[in-house]
Amino acid sequence: DVKVTQSSRYLVKRTGEKVFLECVQDMDHENMFWYRQDPGLGLRLIYFSYDVKMKEKGDIPEGYSVSREKKERFSLILESASTNQTSMYLCASGTGTEEYFGPGTRLTVT
Amino acid sequence: GEDVEQSLFLSVREGDSSVINCTYTDSSSTYLYWYKQEPGAGLQLLTYIFSNMDMKQDQRLTVLLNKKDKHLSLRIADTQTGDSAIYFCAESITGGGNKLTFGTGTQLKVEL
């Protein structure tokens, strides 16, 4: 079974803090993705990566950055958290045909 | 451009069939997907269909694709209470991995 894990299920941070969300996959997938999920908006792609040290902007990259130093790990960074970044963050990894999701991190910025 | 639309809610009785509909706008879609999300969980890949297919069946799930109308549906036979969840339709375009565009999700409620 494909396993995608995320470092935290729930996270509470203060405005202005730097936040790291970690994602690890164990299937040697080249593609990894970060989405955020908000009610009524579905999932929106923040950043994705097709290879180590490679990153591409998704549809809503503003306020975020990413890091992929190893194939199995893809990190999402909020440089200075703001209240409008309160959301559910979902990581995914995939083969180019199938994409598998982690359980999500619910981030609250106060 | 890419836009995927779904109705927000569907309510069915246990044992009936559920049909969840989705429309998409990008005619260059190569794969179309159905994901299921239970409360507090991530998305689970249910099934997907290649764009040159009309139908795909997998146990209680049937996917129908009408490429001319850009319409995708997911039929769940003999719907059970455990099928209550949010169902997301998604499309992908070739070129650069498998970037997905998701619909807003349909909340399926199964009543006894």
Side-chain angles (χ1 to χ4, degrees):
Chain A
D1 271 357
V2 176
K3 191 117 188 212
V4 181
T5 57
Q6 295 184 228
S7 49
S8 307
R9 291 302 304 273
Y10 301 94
L11 210 50
V12 179
K13 294 292 181 181
R14 291 187 182 278
T15 301
E17 277 193 85
K18 190 168 186 175
V19 182
F20 293 86
L21 303 182
E22 305 284 343
C23 175
V24 178
Q25 51 98 1
D26 67 356
M27 285 303 292
D28 203 36
H29 288 160
E30 291 189 348
N31 303 332
M32 294 190 76
F33 306 83
W34 275 106
Y35 295 88
R36 64 177 282 177
Q37 181 181 13
D38 300 288
L41 297 177
L43 276 75
R44 294 178 291 168
L45 181 64
I46 304 171
Y47 267 96
F48 56 103
S49 169
Y50 300 139
D51 202 351
V52 176
K53 296 193 187 296
M54 177 273 175
K55 60 187 178 186
E56 290 278 346
K57 291 180 181 178
D59 299 319
I60 51 163
E62 296 78 21
Y64 303 94
S65 63
V66 290
S67 171
R68 193 160 179 206
E69 296 295 318
K70 293 184 178 181
K71 192 174 186 179
E72 68 270 19
R73 188 179 296 269
F74 192 36
S75 302
L76 179 70
I77 303 154
L78 286 67
E79 296 289 342
S80 177
S82 64
T83 54
N84 63 11
Q85 292 178 309
T86 291
S87 186
M88 170 72 96
Y89 289 87
L90 292 163
C91 173
S93 76
T95 62
T97 304
E98 300 178 6
E99 198 164 303
Y100 298 92
F101 282 79
T105 296
R106 185 163 293 282
L107 172 68
T108 303
V109 183
T110 61
Chain B
E2 305 159 8
D3 197 12
V4 180
E5 294 189 354
Q6 303 176 237
S7 54
L8 289 178
F9 298 103
L10 177 65
S11 180
V12 299
R13 286 185 183 273
E14 189 177 39
D16 288 351
S17 292
S18 308
V19 179
I20 303 170
N21 294 301
C22 170
T23 58
Y24 60 98
T25 56
D26 199 316
S27 57
S28 57
S29 297
T30 50
Y31 289 97
L32 293 128
Y33 298 81
W34 285 104
Y35 282 85
K36 176 185 180 183
Q37 186 180 37
E38 297 183 25
L43 273 68
Q44 173 195 352
L45 176 61
L46 284 179
T47 187
Y48 61 94
I49 187 168
F50 190 52
S51 59
N52 68 354
M53 296 169 64
D54 298 324
M55 186 182 88
K56 182 178 180 182
Q57 186 151 4
D58 184 1
Q59 299 182 348
R60 292 191 297 121
L61 305 179
T62 303
V63 179
L64 294 178
L65 176 60
N66 180 330
K67 205 171 178 183
K68 174 176 165 287
D69 294 338
K70 298 191 184 71
H71 183 265
L72 182 75
S73 67
L74 174 70
R75 179 178 180 269
I76 306 172
D78 187 25
T79 313
Q80 303 297 307
T81 54
D83 295 324
S84 292
I86 302 175
Y87 290 82
F88 289 93
C89 164
E91 63 174 347
S92 73
I93 317 290
T94 47
N98 193 40
K99 198 173 102 166
L100 299 183
T101 299
F102 284 84
T104 53
T106 299
Q107 173 87 55
L108 173 64
K109 182 178 177 184
V110 182
E111 297 174 328
L112 296 171

